[in-house]
């Protein structure tokens, strides 16, 4: 120990540090040997790439630059005994020149290196004192105290002193700062509502509430509704409904029980930017292409895994040893999450949801919307972004002539896990293809079939290539129906295992049927147990539960399924289920299992997708209101009083687990971009940080906005995709239309059609045109009741007649249908406005 340090320490103990660092009377004996370095460096050790030496009473080392992972340079001490259940105080002082974030661990000395304490001290040139407490979950005679100091491009100097570990400390209690007890959507509310808030209180009878505008004038008042103790948070809560107040404005607040909420807006354009931000996230997740700083200021970086050293590149990736004898060019695609892996099953649902958002409302997505390299090419940017991933999925298909030809490899990723931070182009790990799986193959079949129909107007060759790949994948999956990803194949990347692929079969068949109308796929859909079963699980759909994707598309995308009406009704039944969960929940959550899942925020959003689809199918306002209320939870009306979308709301997640948006570990790197969803509360708390701080958490509290919490705070492509879908729905202002159309057809080769237009609005329609598209190549031959003309698939019916409010007109035609299905048109525009 240095003299000055000893003097400083004496001073600090006199003035008393924060509670965690205060010496306690019953603190146990020192466990670290020679933590003051008074007797040289022993028994401290270091990795061979650095040398430890005493410098002015401290232990110092020159840390080499150019290593990839924190554990590439280590200084440590072995054989530290720990006693299960004992709480330890761990203290040291350290400095870095230049300043760096280091990693201080107390861990198991052998694989799997279980961490009992993991901290990221921000080391400065002048030096600081650090202190932490943790409770040992196990007893062992030989834990390891280590400082992981690798991962820096530049060399730097590290010094430390006064390393101490003592038992008998007070257990650390983590108290999240949850701010005011009145919980609102911090972004705001739409003028038309609904507008609900939740108050955390000990009161059991109704309380007064007041809504104040930015000038602190009370503009509305009411009484709360006591809701008892909420299981998801353990809190006694009330709800309040201020939906009758509709005036747009900024910085409203709600006051109840002596607490005032964070400010929020009431605005019609509340969600206008969110779909764009949620979608822009995909560009900075791209692999194999330079991210241009001009397009994403602050996020520019060289192309990842493009084959430039130290990257080994994705242009010619071999299989894991013994898995295959070829290499594939699997450049491109999106990195799945905070790691550098690329996985077909989470890529599949992500690209599906982007294409589904587009298919729901093609007019809402424009060329130039996302500021990506393809902007300006005449195609909607959302399709260009989806194509970036779809091309990668196609490249994962086993080539003809090879074993398992037509199947898709489950994933490609690093041979070993890497540390944080690590920009994609600096990853030196070998990349490997993992075995094929039926699930991945069916993801490819489904998304390729979907891409075939959506890209047809823009790039027929790409559409045709997708359809061929989809058919090949389907046949290969049928021939290999039970090749499951190995649950233990989780080194260097996630396992994404799933031993039930009947749902993936159903989804793929549904997409192939919608695109081709062919009998094989129709028969498969009709025979699948997922076609009629109750697939609306409480926990929502996700990468491992995909039957819902097929059912939603069969309900919403025109097709000639014989039981289509029942399919549409089944979505409404699913929505009713989620509506009931939401109504019973005092935080308005349409998701409420007793324990929250990994990525719960994404499951909340996927349940909102079902509610939104029910609105699209029925026009019933209650479903749209439910989607809006569900979003309130994600943007602040929750037990933690925080928004889970970066950049949205006064207090929002911004330290999501990522190797390149790793600002928390390296101030030179950015935070995740605006519009990034955090995975959210996860009762499983699988990472050491969450285990240390969130033990015994109630579901809503199982979350921490820290980059180390990979189980509660990661970001992924398959979590931002429902955010994009739902926010596009929320931003959609088309609302209820003023007309309704009923279409009926009789006959097959030559058929007659009849259309009834009902004026559901308040104005008389004086002269009209009705436009629709025939998806099956049908041609109008004769008409009655209106004059019909056809150009390609688009039919226009014209009349000079009037339709009074509440009245209908009927007209009809004779048409020919070339072959196979005779899909009914579903989208009609009356005088340019969409009919419901
Ligand atoms: O999102 C995945 C979640 O559903 C699983 O329960 C979890 C454990 O297998 O894995 C999650 O996916 C992670 C993947 O394994 C590795 N990359 C990051 C993913 C998100 O945390």
């Amino acid at each position: 120990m240095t003299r000055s340090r000893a003097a400083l320490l004496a001073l600090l103990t006199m003035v008393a540090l924060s509670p965690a660092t205060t010496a306690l009377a019953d603190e146990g004996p020192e466990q670290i040997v020679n933590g003051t370095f008074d007797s040289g460096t022993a028994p401290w050790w270091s990795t061979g790439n650095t040398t430890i030496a005493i410098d002015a009473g401290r232990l110092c080392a020159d840390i080499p630059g150019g290593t990839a992972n924190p554990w590439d340079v280590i200084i440590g001490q072995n054989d530290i005994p720990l006693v299960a259940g004992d709480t330890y105080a761990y203290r040291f002082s350290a400095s870095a020149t230049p300043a760096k974030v280091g990693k201080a661990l107390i861990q198991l000395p052998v694989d799997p290196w279980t961490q009992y304490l993991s901290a990221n001290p921000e080391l400065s040139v002048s030096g600081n004192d650090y202190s932490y407490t943790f409770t040992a979950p196990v007893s062992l005679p030989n834990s390891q105290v280590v400082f992981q100091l690798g991962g820096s491009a530049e060399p730097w100097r590290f010094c430390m002193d006064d390393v101490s570990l003592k038992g008998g400390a007070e257990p650390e209690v983590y108290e999240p700062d949850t701010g005011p007890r009145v919980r609102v959507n911090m972004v705001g509310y739409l003028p038309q509502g609904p507008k609900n808030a939740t108050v955390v209180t000990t009161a059991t009878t109704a309380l007064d509430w007041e809504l104040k505008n930015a000038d602190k004038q009370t503009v509305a008042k009411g009484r709360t509704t006591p809701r008892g103790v909420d299981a998801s948070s353990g809190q006694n809560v009330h709800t309040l409904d201020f939906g009758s107040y509709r005036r747009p404005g900024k910085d409203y607040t709600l006051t109840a029980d002596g607490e005032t909420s964070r400010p929020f807006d009431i605005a019609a354009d509340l969600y206008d930017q969110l779909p764009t931000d949620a979608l822009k996230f995909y560009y900075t997740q791209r692999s194999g292409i330079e991210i241009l700083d001009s397009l994403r200021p602050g996020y520019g970086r060289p192309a990842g895994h493009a084959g430039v050293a130290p990257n080994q590149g994705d242009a010619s990736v071999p299989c894991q040893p013994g898995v295959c004898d070829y290499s594939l060019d699997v450049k491109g695609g999106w990195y799945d999450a905070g790691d550098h892996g690329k996985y077909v099953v989470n890529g599949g649902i992500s690209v599906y949801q982007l294409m589904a958002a587009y298919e729901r409302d093609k007019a809402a997505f424009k060329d130039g919307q996302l500021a990506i390299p393809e902007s300006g090419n005449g195609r909607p940017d959302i399709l260009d972004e989806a194509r970036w991933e779809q091309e990668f999925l196609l490249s994962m298909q086993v080539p003809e002539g090879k074993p398992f030809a037509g199947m898709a490899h489950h994933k490609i990723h690093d041979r070993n896990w890497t540390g944080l931070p690590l920009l994609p182009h600096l990853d030196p790990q070998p990349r490997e293809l993992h075995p094929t799986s039926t699930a991945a193959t069916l993801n490819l079949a489904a998304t390729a079939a979907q891409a075939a129909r959506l890209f047809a107007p823009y790039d027929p060759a790409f559409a045709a290539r997708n359809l061929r790949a989809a058919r090949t994948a389907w046949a290969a999956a049928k021939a290999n129906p039970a090749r499951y990803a190995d649950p233990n194949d989780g080194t260097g990347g996630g396992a994404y295992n799933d031993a039930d692929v009947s749902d993936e079969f159903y989804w793929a068949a549904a997409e192939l049927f919608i695109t081709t109308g062919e009998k094989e796929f129709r028969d498969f859909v009709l025979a699948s147990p997922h076609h009629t079963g109750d697939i609306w699980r409480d926990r929502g759909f996700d990468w491992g539960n995909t039957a819902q994707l097929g059912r939603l598309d069969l309900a919403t995308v025109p097709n000639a399924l014989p039981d289509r009406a029942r399919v549409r009704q089944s979505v409404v039944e699913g929505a009713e289920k989620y509506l009931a969960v939401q109504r019973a929940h005092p935080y308005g959550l349409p998701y409420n299992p007793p324990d929250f899942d990994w990525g719960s925020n994404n499951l909340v959003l996927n349940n909102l997708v079902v509610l939104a689809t029910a609105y699209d199918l029925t026009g019933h306002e209650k479903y749209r209101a439910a989607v809006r209320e569900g979003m309130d939870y994600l943007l602040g009306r929750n037990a933690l009083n925080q928004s889970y979308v970066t950049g949205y709301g006064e207090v929002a997640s911004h330290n999501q687990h990522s190797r390149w948006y790793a600002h928390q570990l390296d101030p030179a790197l950015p935070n995740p971009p605006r519009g990034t969803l955090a995975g959210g509360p996860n009762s499983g708390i699988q990472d050491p940080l969450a285990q240390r701080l969130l033990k015994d958490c109630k579901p809503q509290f199982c979350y921490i906005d820290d980059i180390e919490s990979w189980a509660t705070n990661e970001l992924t492509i398959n979590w931002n995709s429902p955010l994009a879908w739902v926010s596009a729905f929320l931003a959609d202002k088309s609302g209820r239309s003023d007309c309704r159309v009923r279409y009926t057809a009789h006959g097959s080769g030559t058929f007659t059609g009849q259309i009834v237009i009902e004026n559901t609005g308040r104005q008389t329609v004086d002269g009209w045109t009705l436009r629709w598209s025939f998806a099956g190549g049908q041609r109008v031959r004769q008409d009655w009741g209106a004059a019909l003309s056809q150009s390609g698939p688009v039919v226009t019916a014209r009349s000079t007649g009037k339709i009074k409010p509440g009245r209908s007109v009927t007209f009809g035609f004779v048409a020919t249908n070339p072959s196979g299905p005779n899909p009914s048109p579903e989208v009609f525009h009356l005088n340019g406005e969409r009919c419901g």
Side-chain angles (χ1 to χ4, degrees), residues 230 277 304 349 389 473 502 553 597 701 717 733:
D230 160 43
D277 287 338
I349 188 170
E389 179 70 1
S502 58
D553 274 8
D597 300 271
F701 283 101
I717 54 173
K733 300 200 181 54

Side-chain angles (χ1 to χ4, degrees), residues 61 118 153 312 327 431 440 546 722 815:
S118 165
Q312 307 210 12
S327 294
R431 308 277 280 174
T546 57

Side-chain angles (χ1 to χ4, degrees), residues 336-339 343 417 493-497 542-543 598 710 714-716 718-719:
D336 100 298
D339 59 313
Y343 312 91
W417 282 109
Y496 282 113
N497 53 301
D542 63 5
W543 62 266
W598 194 313
W710 39 263
E714 193 152 356
L715 46 81
T716 75
N718 50 307
W719 298 342

